[in-house]
Amino acid sequence: MPDRQFADIVGGIYEAALDETSWSQVLCATAEFCGAENAALVVVDSRSDSSTVVTPRADPDIVAAYTRSWWLHDPTARATASTPIGQLTTLSDTGREMFLDSPFHNEFWRRSGLGAERIATNLIVGDRMFSSLVLQTSVQRDEISESMFERFSLLVPHFLGAVRLSARLLRMEIEGMVEGSAQAEDCAGIIVLDAAARVMFADAAAEALLIDGVELQTVGGSLRLARAYSDALL
């Protein structure tokens, strides 16, 4: 095994977690190291009916179609949604015949330019959402070799470590923002939201407002305001 190549990829994984390099670069290097055609980071969030994908070697039109609607029909996504974090799965685990016979494969994936076989592992499993790292084969060599599985399994713990590191850094950043904002005299409570208005953090005062449900409430995991005008601004 090329030790230098492995070390460079591991370093790139943690740099990406710190936003110092592109995940696309890391995914390309991962695919090459494992002898695969492509690697992808996929986030499926049923709470907001959305999916996002980072997959540098895939056809952009295929990626756009997947995130727009086809992810809803992907049998591998449904099969891996509750798989424990870090556990590697292939079509042997999620149902090869089910996948090959599915409309997803026959009407969509066949024209993706990638093979059917893949290895996947969940990096995050949450409330009606998950994030997976997926290694994909080529059309010309549509099989998972022992070497591919072994090399991928060596990298997975580092991807998991990078996710934990990124989450810890984000938590520290949020806590720093909260500490600064709490000094304001007119602060009734602090809530930190993500881009989909999902609550990422709420201090004790804000939690009390959410529990009360008069001015603030969560609908489908997202924050909503009781007054229509204020909610539209949010």
Side-chain angles (χ1 to χ4, degrees), residues 95-220:
R96 179 175 285 102
E97 293 305 317
M98 177 181 66
F99 179 79
L100 296 177
D101 292 341
S102 68
F104 176 85
H105 175 258
N106 293 306
E107 298 174 22
F108 174 68
W109 195 255
R110 277 185 183 275
R111 55 187 174 86
S112 69
L114 295 168
E117 297 291 342
R118 73 279 310 280
I119 312 172
T121 187
N122 282 339
L123 303 178
I124 300 171
V125 177
D127 176 23
R128 297 174 60 206
M129 65 81 60
F130 67 94
S131 175
S132 286
L133 174 67
V134 186
L135 198 66
Q136 297 161 329
T137 59
S138 67
V139 174
Q140 293 76 22
R141 191 175 180 182
D142 194 7
E143 61 181 2
I144 303 297
S145 67
E146 184 177 338
S147 172
M148 186 183 298
F149 195 94
E150 178 184 344
R151 291 192 174 200
F152 190 59
S153 66
L154 292 174
L155 291 175
V156 166
H158 296 287
F159 276 97
L160 291 171
V163 167
R164 289 192 293 267
L165 174 62
S166 182
R168 185 177 301 173
L169 291 174
L170 177 61
R171 181 75 183 185
M172 291 172 63
E173 182 179 355
I174 290 174
E175 289 175 349
M177 293 165 52
V178 167
E179 186 176 347
S181 300
Q183 308 302 320
E185 292 183 2
D186 59 350
C187 178
I190 297 171
I191 301 177
V192 180
L193 309 177
D194 67 6
R198 292 187 294 262
V199 177
M200 299 178 65
F201 173 87
D203 66 4
E207 282 188 354
L209 292 172
L210 288 169
I211 292 171
D212 182 59
V214 176
E215 295 293 332
L216 307 175
Q217 55 186 266
T218 55
V219 178

Side-chain angles (χ1 to χ4, degrees), residues 69-87:
S69 60
W70 275 106
W71 68 273
L72 290 164
H73 309 285
D74 184 353
T76 64
R78 294 196 298 271
T80 59
S82 59
T83 300
I85 290 173
Q87 179 176 317

